[in-house]
Amino acid sequence: MRVNKKYSCLPAEEKGIHIINIRAIEDIGYDQHESTLLNSLSKNPDADCKYGLYFRDGKRKVDYILVYHYKKSSAGRTLARRVHHNDSSARSTKQDQPLPGKAVQLEMGEGEPHMDYHEDDKRFRREEYEGNLVEAGLELERDEDTKIHGVGFVKIHAPWHVLCREAEFLKLKMPTKKMYQINQTHGLLKKINSVIQKITEPIQPKVAEHKPQTVKRLSYPFSREKQHLFDLSDRDSFFDSKTRSTIVYEILKRTTCTKAKYSMGITSLLANGVYSAAYPLHDGDYEGENVEPNDRKLLCEEWASYGVFYKYQPIDLVRKYFGEKIGLYFAWLGVYTQMLIPASIVGIIVFLYGCATVDENIPSMEMCDQRNNITMCPLCDRTCSYWKMSSACATARASHLFDNPATVFFSVFMALWAATFMEHWKRKQMRLNYRWDLTGFEEEEDHPRAEYEAKVLEKSLRKEHKHKETDKEKLTWKDRFPAYLTNFVGIIFMVGLTFAIVFGVIIYRISTAAALAISSTPSGRSSVRVTVTATAVIINLVVIIILDEVYGCIARWLTQIEVPKTDKNFEERLIFKAFLLKFVNAYTPIFYVAFFKGRFVGRPGDYVYIFHSFRMEECAPGGCLMELCIQLSIIMLGKQLIQNNLFEIGIPKMKKFIRYMKLKQRRSLDHEEHMKKKQRYEMDYNLEPFAGLTPEYMEMIIQFGFVTLFVASFPLAPLFALLNNIIEIRLDAKKFVTELRRPVAVRAKDIGIWYNILRGIGKLAVIINAFVISFTSDFIPRLVYLYMYSENGTMHGFVNHTLSSFNVSDFQAGTAPNDPMDLGYEVQICRYKDYREPPWSENKYDISKDFWAVLAARLAFVIVFQNLVMFMSDFVDWIIPDIPKDISQQIHKEKVLMVEVFMREEQGKLQMLETWKDKDKKKGENCNNHSPRLSRSHSGSLSSCHSYPLDV
């Protein structure tokens, strides 16, 4: 039988009945029909508490939720228990007494099989921990009468005095009553800004927080002694829901339970299964007809919708709802996406320049000219035959789209773009720090992680067993040495595994090319290179996606066995390992094509073999740049489409569906239970837990590498990144608003270690692009030919200059083509791409002087390009100040105003003290003028002369 909801919404003291005696009402035969009648006449109690957003009194807001699992009786439905810890009971509760409502659980256990030891232990720990929370000043309310059977919820509310106390401990900057004018631009700049505002008005989100502000409240770290400085006219809204949940979480981390031999905070309790989840509540529903306006609904409409992809993000509202750390991530992603717009435009211009000049490119025209009748040497032993250079005409023409003089300019531009992006982000970050009152914020040392505390306990217990002192134990490098060794060996093994897979794909390419060359159809033989390249890239893509997930799990496991002390240390070590493994995984196939393919082939008659049977593959006559472009584009687009988008959409949807089916199987057949609307904390419990920002940052950093590292070979990379990010922002926003539990707001003033990784990639990009232009493309050989060997100052004869000759009689035994007459005539001399002496020379097939001239030019270009671009990047870094001038002025103005406020306060105190002294002196004179008889008749009147109310 269900307890009447009308009564269960009120505190036990107000009902006039002890909560334990409800069981007795059921035992004497409370009529079910009367209960139904009372329920029909009573007001819906869930509506009073806004379906879980407030306590049952409808006044106290739920700031945090703890979730736990408990075993219910199999004989019948357990009595619904909703226990209310009010202020009076909270003050009287002692550590050794059970909290209100615990007796219900014990009494109900009578007559039933006793729970196992682990369940009892968890229950005792919960009782002690919740009692300690009450002693810390928090107010709790329990709810086990939910649609999710076997799951109980503890609602936590932080009263005003607790919020004030913790805000002072955390040094939270809160707005004061003092307001000041923000410096506005004047003259021409003001007109330009007004024009820009009018133009961009349609793409601005319709939220109050995004409107430009002309005044700002002065902020100061909250102090209970200086409450008069703060605007406390509305105490309910002074601390917003994000701040309240942060304060409660700090108390949860600090509060411990000691029944388990050692102290356990909320992280340890969650790790040991005492509680199954802990999270703050979302502000309400985001969809529906009669949904009250709330920040979550506003974010869903103006931010987490694909229909507003063209609008700016409401970053201030995101920060207000999710906290500074998540706000900074989306602000960084927005700045990165905006900066991709000019890079995409320049990339498109470079690509169009290649398209426009493809018919004017003399080397590709010579390769396509069948009158040249250039016969090339076989691409493999025996099965491959001689072939005409004109058959590679399409590849040569396509290579010019990406291998042209404009590519060099684009590489320089992208290096400067990366430096400008980093400086622009630093300035944007400072503006956000000023707006969000983080200018003086310094991160304090975090609480130790649960795993670290457990390891320290294990170490102290071992020393206790050996009768040694155990004062303030901590983990040293000796304790962590096995983990460090495992990390080193594990990372080396994973990197070796990646290299082995790339090597396996190389073997696949070589063997497949040889097998397809046997094909009797001419079309099969002509498309060998395209088929092998496309299938090998797809295999690489699939392997990269699989290994990305595997490496992510391995990096987390390697970090866990290190047992870092704090969450910050854990996150930084995890990021470093995951980035290292994923970087190697994503870029190793691209590095192979860019710098190793075709470099160690040998020459006809003296080829380099793998396992004495597979000949190393060669680049196409037009160079390896086209193949590098294909490899880069397929891997980049494939990762973005499959891994970033389909996985992010599909996996959360699948998990949500599985959770829904499990809950549907456990759901009671009771009609009333089924029709009851879920509480807010029940709906949030069914959402996916927040797993941190590391996966979100990681995919963007890898993409940043694709955009900058090999941009010389693929000028359209910024465009595809831009299109992906437009979707990515809204996809991530929708995930945070609708698919995930609300994260605990974390204060942060920057993006942390990710900024250093970005700077490292930007520096590495300069070096890699210098080598791509110099060694992978034909840019340097063309320059050398044009200025050193060309007879008429044009590129005519360049193709012939890059080809060496080979006498087919010099083939090693068993390597000559099986069908030497495949072209219809006998071949005496075939050509191959290299700088070597001809067969009629004294030093035949030796490396020629032209090779050394080209090599010297390539190395010189790398040195000049790298140093020039590095200097230009550093110049951009130096010339753009990190802190905008107006922001530094505003920060200085805030400091001056704050000093003025305190000086006025001190002057006011002095004036007040002087006034009190004057009053005190006058009162003393009046009292001394009284007659002794009057003084005796009015006992105590003298003391009353000196007592008067003081209002500060």
Side-chain angles (χ1 to χ4, degrees):
M1 188 208 81
R2 182 181 302 276
V3 178
N4 193 315
K5 292 180 183 178
K6 179 179 179 181
Y7 299 127
S8 64
C9 277
L10 298 173
E13 290 77 8
E14 295 176 18
K15 296 178 196 176
I17 182 172
H18 197 279
I19 193 165
I20 300 176
N21 292 334
I22 296 177
R23 177 68 180 269
I25 297 175
E26 185 180 21
D27 292 340
I28 61 174
Y30 190 90
D31 187 66
Q32 181 68 32
H33 175 73
E34 292 176 11
S35 174
T36 308
L37 179 62
L38 284 171
N39 276 330
S40 63
L41 295 174
S42 65
K43 186 180 178 181
N44 184 6
D46 291 338
D48 292 340
C49 58
K50 295 189 178 180
Y51 295 99
L53 287 174
Y54 287 81
F55 275 25
R56 290 192 298 277
D57 56 15
K59 297 177 181 178
R60 291 173 294 169
K61 187 175 177 62
V62 176
D63 298 319
Y64 218 86
I65 291 291
L66 299 178
V67 187
Y68 60 92
H69 287 273
Y70 65 94
K71 289 187 177 179
K72 302 189 74 171
S73 170
S74 57
R77 184 162 48 187
T78 308
L79 175 66
R81 288 173 288 130
R82 291 186 174 185
V83 182
H84 172 212
H85 297 179
N86 57 14
D87 288 337
S88 60
S89 64
R91 299 293 175 267
S92 62
T93 302
K94 295 183 180 179
Q95 183 67 28
D96 56 347
Q97 292 178 346
L99 294 175
K102 302 296 180 184
V104 181
Q105 194 169 3
L106 294 173
E107 185 176 340
M108 287 172 56
E110 294 173 7
E112 296 177 3
H114 195 272
M115 293 182 182
D116 57 22
Y117 169 77
H118 294 292
E119 289 298 319
D120 284 344
D121 182 55
K122 288 179 183 179
R123 179 163 55 83
F124 290 143
R125 291 190 198 181
R126 284 198 297 268
E127 289 176 4
E128 185 197 359
Y129 185 70
E130 289 163 17
N132 292 341
L133 291 179
V134 171
E135 285 194 347
L138 298 178
E139 297 173 7
L140 312 182
E141 188 176 79
R142 187 185 305 279
D143 187 3
E144 291 182 359
D145 181 23
T146 64
K147 295 185 76 172
I148 308 173
H149 289 288
V151 176
F153 297 88
V154 177
K155 296 174 277 186
I156 302 176
H157 168 77
W160 173 255
H161 70 278
V162 173
L163 294 172
C164 293
R165 181 190 72 206
E166 297 298 322
E168 186 173 348
F169 291 166
L170 296 172
K171 300 175 183 176
L172 295 180
K173 273 192 171 183
M174 303 303 294
T176 63
K177 295 176 183 177
K178 176 70 176 175
M179 301 182 74
Y180 67 95
Q181 195 80 17
I182 297 176
N183 293 340
Q184 300 293 319
T185 54
H186 300 284
L188 182 62
L189 284 176
K190 186 176 181 180
K191 292 180 180 178
I192 294 172
N193 287 338
S194 62
V195 170
I196 292 174
Q197 285 180 8
K198 288 179 181 178
I199 294 173
T200 59
E201 189 175 355
I203 59 175
Q204 299 290 347
K206 297 176 182 177
V207 296
E209 285 79 1
H210 200 75
K211 294 178 181 177
Q213 297 177 344
T214 56
V215 293
K216 186 178 184 291
R217 285 189 180 273
L218 195 62
S219 295
Y220 185 73
F222 188 82
S223 172
R224 287 172 290 180
E225 294 179 356
K226 295 183 172 60
Q227 286 194 31
H228 57 278
L229 294 177
F230 302 94
D231 183 13
L232 302 178
S233 56
D234 185 6
R235 290 190 172 189
D236 292 337
S237 62
F238 183 72
F239 294 106
D240 57 15
S241 59
K242 176 253 306 180
T243 308
R244 297 174 71 99
S245 63
T246 303
I247 287 173
V248 173
Y249 183 63
E250 287 297 322
I251 298 174
L252 291 176
K253 286 198 295 185
R254 195 174 63 234
T255 306
T256 58
C257 83
T258 55
K259 280 189 177 177
K261 173 81 174 166
Y262 67 103
S263 61
M264 297 180 70
I266 186 61
T267 51
S268 300
L269 294 171
L270 287 169
N272 287 292
V274 178
Y275 290 102
S276 56
Y279 52 88
L281 291 180
H282 279 292
D283 277 0
D285 292 326
Y286 59 89
E287 58 184 358
E289 297 179 358
N290 301 319
V291 176
E292 293 184 4
N294 58 72
D295 287 342
R296 188 188 188 194
K297 185 174 186 293
L298 188 59
L299 282 171
C300 189
E301 292 171 352
E302 293 295 328
W303 182 53
S305 172
Y306 295 111
V308 294
F309 72 91
Y310 59 92
K311 288 188 177 183
Y312 285 102
Q313 298 182 87
I315 292 298
D316 291 322
L317 185 59
V318 174
R319 172 254 178 178
K320 178 186 173 186
Y321 193 78
F322 291 110
E324 286 79 7
K325 192 170 185 179
I326 293 175
L328 281 172
Y329 163 70
F330 281 103
W332 173 83
L333 184 55
V335 169
Y336 172 46
T337 304
Q338 287 175 12
M339 288 294 292
L340 282 171
I341 295 173
S344 302
I345 293 171
V346 176
I348 292 171
I349 292 171
V350 169
F351 179 73
L352 293 177
Y353 170 81
C355 294
T357 58
V358 67
D359 291 329
E360 301 172 6
N361 184 38
I362 295 173
S364 61
M365 290 170 63
E366 287 184 350
M367 289 181 65
C368 294
D369 191 356
Q370 296 185 359
R371 293 173 297 179
N372 288 336
N373 197 28
I374 299 175
T375 303
M376 303 296 292
C377 295
L379 295 173
C380 61
D381 293 343
R382 295 187 300 277
T383 55
C384 298
S385 185
Y386 305 105
W387 55 285
K388 292 283 189 183
M389 175 169 269
S390 58
S391 64
C393 174
T395 307
R397 289 174 64 86
S399 295
H400 179 72
L401 301 178
F402 306 101
D403 187 4
N404 55 68
T407 305
V408 181
F409 158 76
F410 190 55
S411 299
V412 176
F413 171 81
M414 287 303 294
L416 297 178
W417 172 88
T420 308
F421 162 60
M422 300 305 293
E423 290 304 307
H424 179 43
W425 166 243
K426 279 197 287 189
R427 291 169 64 84
K428 176 71 172 178
Q429 193 169 255
M430 279 306 302
R431 289 188 181 278
L432 293 176
N433 285 342
Y434 166 71
R435 263 180 18 215
W436 297 348
D437 299 320
L438 294 170
T439 47
F441 170 70
E442 293 294 335
E443 291 186 11
E444 297 179 358
E445 188 176 355
D446 203 356
H447 295 276
R449 296 173 60 250
E451 293 81 0
Y452 181 84
E453 290 180 338
K455 280 286 182 183
V456 169
L457 171 71
E458 186 181 334
K459 183 179 178 181
S460 62
L461 289 176
R462 283 200 306 267
K463 286 200 171 184
E464 278 183 13
H465 185 66
K466 295 177 181 178
H467 305 289
K468 292 183 180 180
E469 293 182 1
T470 59
D471 291 339
K472 286 190 176 180
E473 285 295 336
K474 62 179 183 179
L475 298 184
T476 62
W477 69 270
K478 292 180 180 179
D479 300 317
R480 291 194 173 104
F481 181 74
Y484 290 152
L485 185 62
T486 306
N487 270 259
F488 178 75
V489 173
I491 290 173
I492 294 296
F493 175 77
M494 292 303 141
V495 172
L497 176 65
T498 304
F499 290 162
I501 291 172
V502 172
F503 183 73
V505 174
I506 293 170
I507 299 297
Y508 162 80
R509 292 161 69 112
I510 296 169
S511 57
T512 306
L516 291 175
I518 306 175
S519 173
S520 57
T521 59
S523 60
R525 288 196 296 270
S526 62
S527 61
V528 167
R529 193 179 293 276
V530 177
T531 305
V532 169
T533 301
T535 54
V537 172
I538 291 171
I539 292 171
N540 273 327
L541 174 63
V542 172
V543 170
I544 287 171
I545 291 174
I546 293 172
L547 287 184
D548 253 7
E549 302 301 318
V550 174
Y551 286 169
C553 297
I554 290 174
R556 181 168 289 276
W557 176 74
L558 290 174
T559 310
Q560 284 173 346
I561 64 174
E562 277 187 65
V563 197
K565 185 175 181 180
T566 63
D567 286 328
K568 184 180 179 182
N569 291 342
F570 180 87
E571 186 179 20
E572 287 181 350
R573 295 186 185 194
L574 173 62
I575 288 168
F576 174 75
K577 293 181 186 67
F579 174 74
L580 177 64
L581 292 174
K582 293 190 176 188
F583 182 89
V584 171
N585 181 42
Y587 295 114
T588 300
I590 301 171
F591 270 96
Y592 164 72
V593 174
F595 302 121
F596 296 99
K597 185 179 179 182
R599 309 289 171 195
F600 311 102
V601 178
R603 61 168 180 82
D606 188 21
Y607 284 114
V608 177
Y609 290 91
I610 302 174
F611 305 134
H612 304 287
S613 56
F614 296 107
R615 203 175 94 188
M616 289 293 290
E617 54 183 345
E618 302 176 41
C619 288
C624 278
L625 200 70
M626 186 61 201
E627 190 171 340
L628 177 62
C629 173
I630 295 171
Q631 183 107 359
L632 187 66
S633 58
I634 292 179
I635 290 177
M636 179 182 175
L637 295 177
K639 269 180 68 67
Q640 290 182 167
L641 182 65
I642 299 172
Q643 194 174 29
N644 297 357
N645 293 334
L646 290 182
F647 280 15
E648 286 191 17
I649 296 173
I651 291 179
K653 292 282 186 186
M654 185 174 67
K655 287 182 177 178
K656 190 175 180 181
F657 177 74
I658 291 171
R659 282 197 304 272
Y660 170 76
M661 293 304 294
K662 286 181 178 178
L663 291 173
K664 192 175 181 182
Q665 290 175 0
R666 284 190 284 172
R667 187 172 292 165
S668 173
L669 297 175
D670 187 0
H671 179 69
E672 180 190 354
E673 187 84 12
H674 181 71
M675 294 302 292
K676 186 177 70 174
K677 183 178 178 180
K678 277 188 177 182
Q679 303 288 327
R680 175 79 267 149
Y681 43 85
E682 292 180 77
M683 289 189 279
D684 285 4
Y685 177 68
N686 292 332
L687 298 176
E688 188 74 14
F690 175 64
L693 288 171
T694 301
E696 315 299 334
Y697 272 115
M698 188 66 72
E699 66 185 65
M700 287 296 106
I701 297 295
I702 296 294
Q703 185 204 79
F704 183 77
F706 281 122
V707 168
T708 54
L709 292 180
F710 295 93
V711 75
S713 63
F714 189 40
L716 295 180
L719 174 64
F720 289 115
L722 173 65
L723 296 175
N724 174 79
N725 287 5
I726 290 172
I727 300 171
E728 181 74 21
I729 290 175
R730 306 303 164 180
L731 180 65
D732 283 349
K734 197 171 186 65
K735 183 171 69 175
F736 272 85
V737 174
T738 65
E739 300 288 340
L740 297 179
R741 293 176 192 160
R742 188 175 183 176
V744 179
V746 178
R747 287 188 296 168
K749 62 188 300 184
D750 52 41
I751 59 174
I753 194 175
W754 297 110
Y755 181 80
N756 298 327
I757 292 175
L758 284 169
R759 283 189 66 85
I761 291 176
K763 299 293 183 186
L764 184 63
V766 176
I767 301 169
I768 289 178
N769 280 305
F771 277 95
V772 167
I773 295 169
S774 183
F775 285 89
T776 309
S777 75
D778 281 339
F779 178 73
I780 299 301
R782 288 174 186 173
L783 283 181
V784 171
Y785 177 79
L786 186 63
Y787 292 107
M788 291 181 63
Y789 299 103
S790 178
E791 297 176 358
N792 52 8
T794 64
M795 292 300 295
H796 288 287
F798 170 74
V799 174
N800 188 59
H801 176 74
T802 59
L803 297 176
S804 298
S805 300
F806 177 75
N807 193 330
V808 298
S809 61
D810 293 331
F811 272 122
Q812 289 181 352
T815 61
N818 295 333
D819 185 9
M821 300 294 292
D822 186 57
L823 293 177
Y825 57 88
E826 186 178 358
V827 178
Q828 299 292 332
I829 300 291
C830 67
R831 310 294 297 275
Y832 61 99
K833 189 171 184 180
D834 205 348
Y835 290 101
R836 289 182 180 270
E837 296 290 343
W840 51 83
S841 171
E842 293 181 4
N843 304 314
K844 64 177 183 178
Y845 307 134
D846 284 351
I847 293 174
S848 65
K849 294 179 181 179
D850 299 341
F851 171 83
W852 299 111
V854 171
L855 180 62
R858 281 174 163 164
L859 293 175
F861 176 83
V862 168
I863 295 170
V864 172
F865 181 89
Q866 175 184 331
N867 286 281
L868 178 64
V869 176
M870 286 284 192
F871 170 76
M872 294 171 70
S873 299
D874 291 339
F875 180 74
V876 169
D877 192 356
W878 172 76
I879 203 171
I880 301 175
D882 293 347
I883 304 176
K885 187 177 179 181
D886 59 325
I887 296 299
S888 60
Q889 290 174 350
Q890 298 290 358
I891 293 172
H892 178 71
K893 187 177 180 180
E894 276 197 354
K895 291 179 180 178
V896 173
L897 287 172
M898 187 53 68
V899 171
E900 288 179 2
V901 168
F902 283 118
M903 289 299 291
R904 287 176 188 171
E905 186 183 359
E906 290 298 321
Q907 290 172 2
K909 285 180 180 178
L910 289 173
Q911 290 175 0
M912 196 177 296
L913 286 172
E914 289 176 1
T915 305
W916 288 347
K917 285 179 181 179
D918 292 341
K919 287 184 179 181
D920 192 29
K921 187 179 291 185
K922 290 178 181 178
K923 290 279 186 181
E925 291 175 357
N926 292 336
C927 289
N928 290 333
N929 291 332
H930 287 315
S931 63
R933 182 178 57 81
L934 186 63
S935 299
R936 283 193 300 270
S937 62
H938 297 280
S939 61
S941 62
L942 185 62
S943 63
S944 66
C945 289
H946 295 277
S947 62
Y948 43 84
L950 301 177
D951 292 328
V952 181

